[in-house]
Amino acid sequence: MSTADAGASPTDRAKASSDSLRARPAGFARDVASIAGRALRGVPRDLEAVTPPIFIALFFFIVNIATLERVTQSGASGFDYTAFQMPTAILLGVTGVSRAPALVLDVQNGYLDRLLMTPIRRLAILLGHMVADVTVAMALTLPILGLGFALGVRFETGVLGVVAFILLAALWSLTFAGFGYAIALKTGNPAAVNSTFLLFFPFLFLTTSYVPRSQLSGWLDTVASFNPATYLLEGFRSLVSSGWAWDDLGKAMLAIAVLGSISMTMCFGALRGRTKRR
Amino acid sequence: MSDFAIQTESLVRRFGDFDAVNGVNLQVEKGEIYGFLGPNGAGKSTTVRVLCTLLAPSGGRATVAGFDVAKRPGDVRLRIGAALQEAALDPKQTGRELLRLQGRLYGLPKQAMPARITELGELIDLTDALDRPIGTYSGGMKRRLDLAAALVHNPEILFLDEPTTGLDPVSRAAVWSEVRRLNEQLGMTIFLTTQYLEEADELCGRVGIIDRGRIVAEGTPDALKRSVGADVIIARVAGDAAHLGPVIMALPGIQSVEAHGTELIIAADNGSAAISPVAVALNESGAAVRELTLRTPTLDDVFLELTRTHIERADTTETDR
């Protein structure tokens, strides 16, 4: 196990360094950064977690335009269906992308216990993962935006609007990630975490993903009016097509805040439950 | 309470109606290797999880490094390292990344980490593997890395929960050697749970035997073995052994002699010291000795005496509660 070499043995050197290596709380910011760094290093080793969403987003972006552009643009002059579809593609790309599957594996293989035996603040474990999620979500919006620009989409709000668009996408992604973390920490079961994609369907398809709100009718219009994704999409679309429409952006932020308050309450509650020494 | 590295008073840990730890009293001196021995489900791992601040006590009190585990868990965490029953590692990180992250979380200076990781890599003989994903490590390598992760911050007290379960004999001997070295050279207090008798015998200055959540015996391995009775010398001779009984009984240090056909069962205070005089006496009596064996009590005998149950042998790998 230990190797003797010329001069001091490893244990002797360990002993010599023991005075300079005294454990102390690292500080909240360093804790968050350490966990975020680890989570981000894990992304390229876990490409299967980010490749399918981005592929699906780009695929449906192109297919939906090809399928519905003519139908939707024929009824309204000046309506740009490509610009209309880009926010839908963004939602497909970033919704449900998180490090929750990695966290649930930490629960399963005992690594979370190792973290809990260090002086780390419990909150930093979750926040570190969330910082990584926001970073990944922002990165995932870039190829979709790139494709949109290539297809001729231009932002009425300019560069600042693009930045706002990316931030809004990242916040939405974080809001949705909260559900994944809540399930991961509550159940410790990877299969349960994977099932969070079921939430994806009502949020992303019972709304204005394919046609404007004015084209929805009956029960779907009613359901869409209660779906936060509807207001988020309107906020996204206003940035692209209308300029700084603060009313739409305000509603989008409110939708994120309402859903986010639910998901964050759930996931931080689950963290408390998991780390409580019951 | 702070004179001891670890001290518990009537420690209880309850899961629903079940008392996994039921009134455990421990006093582990600084610099001691203390073995916690017991069969599966005896409460060894639960005790360790309480002492490592992963579980709160349901009753009683526990201090580690002088700090109450319930009231000052943060202070305890700064002073302990632990390698729990299953190596708690992230298979997608490399060994170096894992150790570096551990160092960061313990607030170690960034510039000190490369040298510290090199030291630990040498200590656990994993230098060449540190840049490989942990998922590619063998079971023994994972155990050793787990141990290194527990040592990153030079803890005062090291908890090892069944550190050699599932290891091959070579890896087991290597872990034993390292545990001894850490204790002797760094003065680290080591609290070690095991279900292996050899391990407790080999490493521990004192042993506590736990059964159904209670400590049923405690002492040095030798004292515990002595507590269950004398050494036994078994002599097999040609012909009837009955007439040899009085001859042996007359020797000093002999407690009793029983003859069963060709066999004499001799209880002695110190078997090692008595076996030569027994052999000489048998020879001088004209007995043709076919076989002469000495059997000293084992920790298994202690456990059997106390609990009517055998402890698992080293070739089993079941897990404890």
Side-chain angles (χ1 to χ4, degrees):
Chain A
M1 174 170 282
S2 92
T3 54
D5 57 6
S9 74
T11 310
D12 290 336
R13 285 202 294 279
K15 187 176 183 178
S17 68
S18 64
D19 290 338
S20 65
L21 292 170
R22 281 283 163 236
R24 60 183 71 83
F28 188 70
R30 194 178 181 198
D31 285 346
V32 172
S34 299
I35 297 298
R38 174 189 168 235
L40 284 171
R41 276 196 305 277
V43 173
R45 295 163 188 172
D46 237 351
L47 277 178
E48 63 273 18
V50 291
T51 308
I54 203 66
F55 172 78
I56 288 168
L58 294 171
F59 178 81
F60 280 105
F61 191 12
I62 294 166
V63 169
N64 288 345
I65 292 166
T67 309
L68 296 168
E69 188 174 37
R70 222 174 261 178
V71 177
T72 52
Q73 291 185 172
S74 63
S77 64
F79 180 69
D80 180 356
Y81 192 67
T82 305
F84 181 86
Q85 263 301 301
M86 192 165 71
T88 303
I90 293 285
L91 254 61
L92 282 168
V94 302
T95 308
V97 174
S98 80
R99 300 300 296 159
L103 183 61
V104 81
L105 289 178
D106 287 347
V107 173
Q108 275 210 320
N109 65 26
Y111 189 69
L112 184 66
D113 282 343
R114 174 163 290 297
L115 291 179
L116 294 177
M117 285 189 291
T118 70
I120 191 172
R121 279 77 169 167
R122 277 54 189 140
L123 204 59
I125 295 174
L126 202 43
L127 285 179
H129 282 86
M130 289 177 171
V131 168
D133 290 339
V134 166
T135 310
V136 170
M138 288 198 285
L140 289 180
T141 60
L142 297 179
I144 302 168
L145 282 171
L147 179 61
F149 291 141
L151 294 173
V153 176
R154 295 293 176 266
F155 274 67
E156 287 293 322
T157 46
V159 176
L160 274 181
V162 175
V163 173
F165 192 94
I166 293 171
L167 289 176
L168 215 52
L171 281 176
W172 170 258
S173 177
L174 182 60
T175 291
F176 215 83
F179 294 114
Y181 287 119
I183 293 170
L185 290 165
K186 185 77 184 167
T187 66
N189 181 343
V193 174
N194 291 337
S195 70
T196 50
F197 82 93
L198 291 172
L199 284 172
F200 187 92
F201 290 104
F203 279 111
L204 293 196
F205 296 107
L206 301 179
T207 185
T208 55
S209 295
Y210 298 106
V211 293
R213 182 89 182 267
S214 58
Q215 302 298 308
L216 299 180
S217 60
W219 67 268
L220 186 54
D221 184 40
T222 307
V223 171
S225 70
F226 290 103
N227 186 347
T230 302
Y231 303 99
L232 182 73
L233 286 169
E234 284 172 5
F236 274 135
R237 285 166 184 153
S238 72
L239 286 170
V240 179
S241 310
S242 315
W244 294 101
W246 296 108
D247 185 41
D248 287 340
L249 286 174
K251 286 178 184 170
M253 288 302 295
L254 185 64
I256 288 174
V258 169
L259 195 63
S261 64
I262 296 169
S263 73
M264 292 299 130
T265 302
M266 286 173 67
C267 72
F268 283 105
L271 176 72
R272 236 183 347 268
R274 174 65 60 181
T275 59
K276 194 167 65 178
R277 300 181 303 140
R278 288 169 288 199
Chain B
M1 288 192 101
S2 58
D3 290 344
F4 294 99
I6 300 167
Q7 187 169 27
T8 69
E9 290 172 357
S10 306
L11 185 68
V12 175
R13 175 61 213 194
R14 200 169 290 122
F15 296 101
D17 295 333
F18 176 68
D19 288 343
V21 177
N22 188 8
V24 164
N25 293 301
L26 281 173
Q27 289 185 333
V28 179
E29 302 275 356
K30 289 175 181 166
E32 187 177 5
I33 302 182
Y34 185 90
F36 215 33
L37 184 64
N40 294 328
K44 305 187 296 290
S45 295
T46 303
T47 305
V48 167
R49 291 177 77 81
V50 171
L51 296 176
C52 289
T53 76
L54 288 173
L55 289 171
S58 309
R61 185 168 181 233
T63 59
V64 173
F67 296 98
D68 190 306
V69 296
K71 294 175 185 161
R72 306 276 299 272
D75 288 309
V76 172
R77 286 175 195 134
L78 288 173
R79 290 161 179 83
I80 64 166
L84 299 183
Q85 205 170 83
E86 301 292 330
L89 305 168
D90 168 9
K92 295 201 171 171
Q93 288 188 88
T94 66
R96 189 179 302 280
E97 287 168 348
L98 181 119
L99 295 176
R100 193 184 296 133
L101 178 59
Q102 281 292 113
R104 282 180 64 87
L105 296 177
Y106 280 105
L108 304 186
K110 194 176 179 183
Q111 61 275 20
M113 282 314 296
R116 181 63 180 152
I117 291 170
T118 303
E119 284 167 13
L120 290 167
E122 289 175 8
L123 193 72
I124 57 170
D125 202 15
L126 278 182
T127 304
D128 294 339
L130 280 179
D131 292 311
R132 275 170 39 200
I134 294 164
T136 65
Y137 287 17
S138 69
M141 291 165 80
K142 285 179 183 169
R143 279 278 182 192
R144 279 143 56 198
L145 181 64
D146 202 34
L147 179 61
L151 295 172
V152 162
H153 56 297
N154 275 316
E156 291 171 30
I157 302 165
L158 179 64
F159 290 91
L160 299 173
D161 192 6
E162 303 201 5
T164 60
T165 298
L167 293 190
D168 59 78
V170 175
S171 300
R172 183 176 302 141
V175 169
W176 288 357
S177 152
E178 200 45 55
V179 167
R180 249 185 242 110
R181 194 192 299 261
L182 288 167
N183 175 253
E184 288 165 8
Q185 297 189 14
L186 299 183
M188 206 174 275
T189 306
I190 296 173
F191 186 93
L192 173 146
T193 79
T194 182
Q195 53 179 323
Y196 300 154
L197 305 160
E198 303 92 308
E199 193 156 275
D201 230 348
E202 189 70 30
L203 290 177
C204 303
R206 281 193 310 140
V207 170
I209 295 180
I210 184 168
D211 183 42
R212 298 185 188 94
R214 288 179 175 278
I215 292 187
V216 292
E218 191 181 46
T220 64
D222 281 344
L224 286 172
K225 286 183 275 189
R226 293 265 170 234
S227 71
V228 295
D231 295 344
V232 175
I233 298 167
I234 300 166
R236 189 164 289 123
V237 297
D240 186 28
H243 69 286
L244 297 168
V247 176
I248 302 300
M249 196 62 211
L251 296 171
I254 300 298
Q255 292 180 359
S256 67
V257 181
E258 292 173 30
H260 299 279
T262 60
E263 198 173 78
L264 281 174
I265 299 174
I266 305 155
D269 295 333
N270 183 340
S272 304
I275 196 163
S276 290
V278 166
V280 170
L282 289 173
N283 189 44
E284 286 174 352
S285 303
V289 180
R290 298 275 186 245
E291 196 178 316
L292 192 63
T293 56
L294 168 65
R295 187 176 168 277
T296 56
T298 65
L299 285 175
D300 196 29
D301 295 320
V302 179
F303 199 82
L304 180 61
E305 174 88 3
L306 293 166
T307 68
R308 304 287 164 210
T309 314
H310 280 282
I311 303 173
E312 298 292 333
R313 291 283 178 194
D315 54 356
T316 63
T317 57
E318 289 178 53
T319 55
D320 186 41
R321 180 183 305 283

